[in-house]
Amino acid sequence: MERSSGKPQQSRLCLLASLSAMFWFLIFYLHFMAIGHGPVTIPEQSDPLLPMTSSAHLISGTDIVHQPKQSVSFDSMPSNMQIPAKTFPFTRALQTIENKSDPCGGRYIYVHELPPRFNDDMLKECKRLSLWTNMCKFIINEGLGPPLENIEGVFSSTGWYATNQFAVDVIFRNRMKQYECLTKDSSIAAAVFVPFYAGFDISRYLWGYNMSVRDSASLALVEWLEKRPEWKVMGGRDHFLVAGRITWDFRRLTEAESDWGNKLLFLPAAKNMSMLVVESSPWNANDFGIPYPTYFHPAKDADVFLWQDRMRKLKRKWLFSFAGAPRPGNPKSIRGQIIGQCRNSEVCKLLECDFGESKCHSPSSIMQMFQSSLFCLQPQGDSYTRRSAFDSMLAGCIPVFFHPGSAYTQYTWHLPRNYSRYSVFIPEEDIRVGKISIQERLSRISPEEVNTMREEVINLIPRLVYADPRSRLETLKDAFDVSVDAIIDKVTKLRKDIIQGHNVSDFIEENSWKYALLDEGQRTVGPHEWDPFFSKPKDANKS
């Protein structure tokens, strides 16, 4: 009985053991299969400079277009959510924003080390930088030029230099050397700076040189950049460079030798980059307006505060003033009418300029006039913009503009969108046909309104001047800081749009000036009150 009953019991034990083994085999199999095919994640990193543990996949423009549409907005993304690094090579840069212990999180700038022919070698041949001006004296003091003598007491005791209006190339680069969040690791960079002296380059060849000479450095730069791994990450759309000249110097429209400038901004690669110029194009999306340099370059916050207080206390005996020359060869210019109105007014100060020796070439004479005026007239110059607008605001003088392209659609990073807070707008057609008296228009503004507007102008001064590159402001942001912040915001927004799969196919480049004026969150443009001002042919404002 015992022997015969043992076989079934042994069989049951074997069956149970087999089932148990099979159960655990399935558990382990499913576990490891899940690990092998699960989502790729980036390990948490407390130090933004730690190397990535997974390789970044370089994407081109066509890769970006086909990114998955179903994605999560960074604005609402949980802090513990990870983004596939092999899909977005800029993930590390975005992740630095979340590191609250890192003061540079989301603000790192990577600077290309260009061959010296693209920058330093130009300064060694400073006499060749301009046909009309010996630029050698203007590149000293990190691009600020020689110190200004304060014989008439117009300036404050420190920070004043005879700065050339086209010196932003070198000033900006030297300010970048002082930037507190530079990095040698491009994978964490919020943006990439290209220290090419584009303005100095073209100024050498604007007169008397053929197209191949004018284009040579731009073509060589693009060729150099496109070979760099940093370029391939976003096809250059995270890159930016600075040129201290107007955009039309880099937008030759034809291949005719007689046409003006080079074609830097029309090169396919350059269309991906952002170029900061002292005057941008209303109809193109790859350039952005930054202030002309003034004569004031504060080394510390106190220099700015003292100057602002001084401008508040000044007695201003002139209702309005104008410094400039007529443009008799330009039938669209209203300068003749403005000069005529100023001459016939007892409350207008006129400083007439010509190509000879004139007080217009004296910084102290110009600043003294602006400091004694409530309003300063700023019509178009040889192009939409003038350095004079920034010199006048530095003096606490309320600018009067006659075309929205002179400021309102240009310096949207640096000036309030509500232009009536700091300026007066008189349509130039009203002046051209004699419809309005400037004196009458300005006299209608109450003293209280004048004081409010002037205070707004004075408060804008820090963001309109370039601080001394040999020092750093502590609490104030200067024109450099504002520009860099804006570029970082632009690149960061673009990266988030790529992740979210936003379709920008409805973007109309011809309406670029309108997009800069949109409110936060808006993406489409429609009719605008300034449409008549920008309906002219593209090259109509180049002369």
Side-chain angles (χ1 to χ4, degrees):
M1 288 285 296
E2 292 176 3
R3 192 174 296 175
S4 63
S5 64
K7 288 182 180 180
Q9 185 176 355
Q10 186 175 358
S11 299
R12 283 195 298 273
L13 289 173
C14 289
L15 179 60
L16 289 172
S18 299
L19 290 172
S20 177
M22 184 176 294
F23 173 78
W24 287 108
F25 172 81
L26 287 171
I27 290 296
F28 282 109
Y29 175 81
L30 292 173
H31 174 72
F32 286 110
M33 281 294 289
I35 290 178
H37 296 281
V40 179
T41 60
I42 300 295
E44 292 183 7
Q45 299 171 357
S46 58
D47 184 349
L49 298 177
L50 288 175
M52 291 181 71
T53 56
S54 59
S55 60
H57 169 64
L58 302 180
I59 58 176
S60 65
T62 53
D63 290 326
I64 292 171
V65 171
H66 298 292
Q67 292 299 337
K69 300 288 184 184
Q70 296 179 346
S71 53
V72 182
S73 166
F74 262 70
D75 297 327
S76 59
M77 186 178 295
S79 58
N80 62 348
M81 179 171 287
Q82 304 296 338
I83 303 166
K86 65 185 287 186
T87 306
F88 306 110
F90 44 77
T91 299
R92 280 192 80 213
L94 288 175
Q95 284 182 324
T96 66
I97 301 173
E98 303 301 321
N99 187 353
K100 303 306 180 184
S101 63
D102 181 4
C104 289
R107 299 176 54 232
Y108 286 105
I109 297 289
Y110 177 86
V111 180
H112 276 300
E113 293 184 10
L114 298 180
R117 71 179 183 274
F118 294 118
N119 40 49
D120 293 334
D121 287 352
M122 296 184 202
L123 301 187
K124 293 176 183 177
E125 299 181 348
C126 52
K127 290 182 180 179
R128 295 186 57 230
L129 292 178
S130 172
L131 179 63
W132 316 109
T133 305
N134 183 350
M135 291 292 291
C136 293
K137 71 175 183 178
F138 292 112
I139 64 172
I140 65 173
N141 292 318
E142 306 291 331
L144 305 184
L148 285 172
E149 294 184 12
N150 194 22
I151 298 174
E152 299 178 45
V154 177
F155 314 120
S156 46
S157 56
T158 60
W160 292 83
Y161 298 83
T163 305
N164 186 275
Q165 67 173 332
F166 298 128
V168 168
D169 297 57
V170 66
I171 294 173
F172 202 99
R173 184 192 179 198
N174 287 326
R175 283 284 284 111
M176 184 62 77
K177 292 175 181 177
Q178 294 285 352
Y179 184 66
E180 64 271 24
C181 295
L182 295 178
T183 180
K184 293 290 186 182
D185 181 357
S186 62
S187 72
I188 65 167
V192 178
F193 179 55
V194 182
F196 172 47
Y197 291 159
F200 286 165
D201 167 52
I202 190 56
S203 68
R204 300 178 292 181
Y205 306 126
L206 279 174
W207 293 272
Y209 291 88
N210 62 33
M211 288 186 304
S212 61
V213 173
R214 284 179 269 158
D215 292 339
S216 60
S218 298
L219 293 170
L221 173 74
V222 166
E223 182 182 4
W224 187 91
L225 287 171
E226 288 182 323
K227 293 177 181 177
R228 298 290 302 176
E230 298 85 6
W231 178 271
K232 294 181 173 68
V233 170
M234 294 186 71
R237 293 193 289 175
D238 54 355
H239 284 49
F240 72 103
L241 66 157
V242 174
R245 297 189 68 90
I246 63 175
T247 189
W248 315 112
D249 292 342
F250 312 99
R251 293 190 180 278
R252 190 180 68 244
L253 293 173
T254 72
E255 292 302 298
E257 293 288 352
S258 60
D259 206 353
W260 181 260
N262 67 24
K263 60 180 180 182
L264 171 59
L265 283 174
F266 284 136
L267 297 176
K271 287 184 177 181
N272 281 355
M273 288 190 283
S274 298
M275 186 152 159
L276 313 188
V277 287
V278 291
E279 176 178 318
S280 62
S281 164
W283 305 284
N284 298 98
N286 58 333
D287 59 358
F288 301 87
I290 60 174
Y292 284 86
T294 65
Y295 302 113
F296 185 42
H297 305 280
K300 53 185 183 296
D301 291 15
D303 295 344
V304 180
F305 298 143
L306 287 171
W307 179 255
Q308 288 175 306
D309 287 342
R310 182 173 171 178
M311 293 305 98
R312 289 185 179 100
K313 296 172 183 175
L314 287 177
K315 300 295 182 183
R316 300 175 185 264
K317 62 180 181 179
W318 301 106
L319 176 63
F320 63 108
S321 63
F322 176 65
R327 294 290 190 271
N330 184 356
K332 295 181 179 179
S333 175
I334 60 170
R335 286 186 171 213
Q337 291 94 325
I338 284 176
I339 290 172
Q341 287 202 32
C342 191
R343 280 187 184 144
N344 294 329
S345 172
E346 295 181 352
V347 291
C348 180
K349 172 68 174 175
L350 178 63
L351 200 62
E352 293 192 71
C353 306
D354 53 40
F355 290 104
E357 288 299 319
S358 127
K359 288 188 176 181
C360 284
H361 303 295
S362 165
S364 60
S365 296
I366 293 172
M367 292 301 293
Q368 190 172 48
M369 183 187 75
F370 290 156
Q371 289 175 32
S372 62
S373 306
L374 291 175
F375 298 94
C376 293
L377 308 185
Q378 301 296 343
Q380 296 187 68
D382 292 324
S383 60
Y384 285 132
T385 63
R386 306 176 73 204
R387 171 191 173 148
S388 175
F390 296 98
D391 288 334
S392 65
M393 286 189 278
L394 175 61
C397 188
I398 300 166
V400 180
F401 295 110
F402 302 86
H403 193 292
S406 294
Y408 308 146
T409 62
Q410 287 287 339
Y411 311 107
T412 55
W413 295 345
H414 298 79
L415 296 174
R417 215 166 271 182
N418 182 359
Y419 60 85
S420 62
R421 285 170 50 188
Y422 70 94
S423 71
V424 175
F425 180 61
I426 302 174
E428 59 184 8
E429 186 63 21
D430 290 351
I431 301 295
R432 187 177 291 113
V433 300
K435 180 180 178 181
I436 193 169
S437 161
I438 296 174
Q439 177 177 331
E440 217 174 279
R441 169 72 174 85
L442 299 179
S443 297
R444 292 201 302 265
I445 303 174
S446 69
E448 292 76 20
E449 288 178 284
V450 171
N451 290 336
T452 301
M453 294 169 72
R454 183 169 61 246
E455 182 63 23
E456 183 74 23
V457 169
I458 291 172
N459 287 334
L460 286 172
I461 288 175
R463 57 197 295 117
L464 303 181
V465 300
Y466 296 89
D468 192 322
R470 296 161 295 191
S471 58
R472 186 184 300 164
L473 302 183
E474 296 175 6
T475 63
L476 299 174
K477 288 183 181 291
D478 73 338
F480 168 88
D481 294 318
V482 173
S483 302
V484 171
D485 286 350
I487 281 291
I488 289 174
D489 289 345
K490 175 181 178 288
V491 175
T492 301
K493 182 179 182 300
L494 174 61
R495 288 170 170 173
K496 292 179 180 181
D497 282 347
I498 291 171
I499 291 172
Q500 296 171 30
H502 282 158
N503 185 2
V504 293
S505 60
D506 59 345
F507 177 80
I508 304 171
E509 188 172 25
E510 293 287 322
N511 289 331
S512 291
W513 64 272
K514 295 185 182 182
Y515 288 96
L517 303 176
L518 290 176
D519 292 329
E520 186 68 29
Q522 286 186 302
R523 290 180 176 269
T524 58
V525 297
H528 197 282
E529 60 177 314
W530 290 335
D531 283 337
F533 289 94
F534 298 107
S535 60
K536 306 171 185 177
K538 286 189 179 183
D539 57 341
N541 292 285
K542 290 168 63 178
S543 59

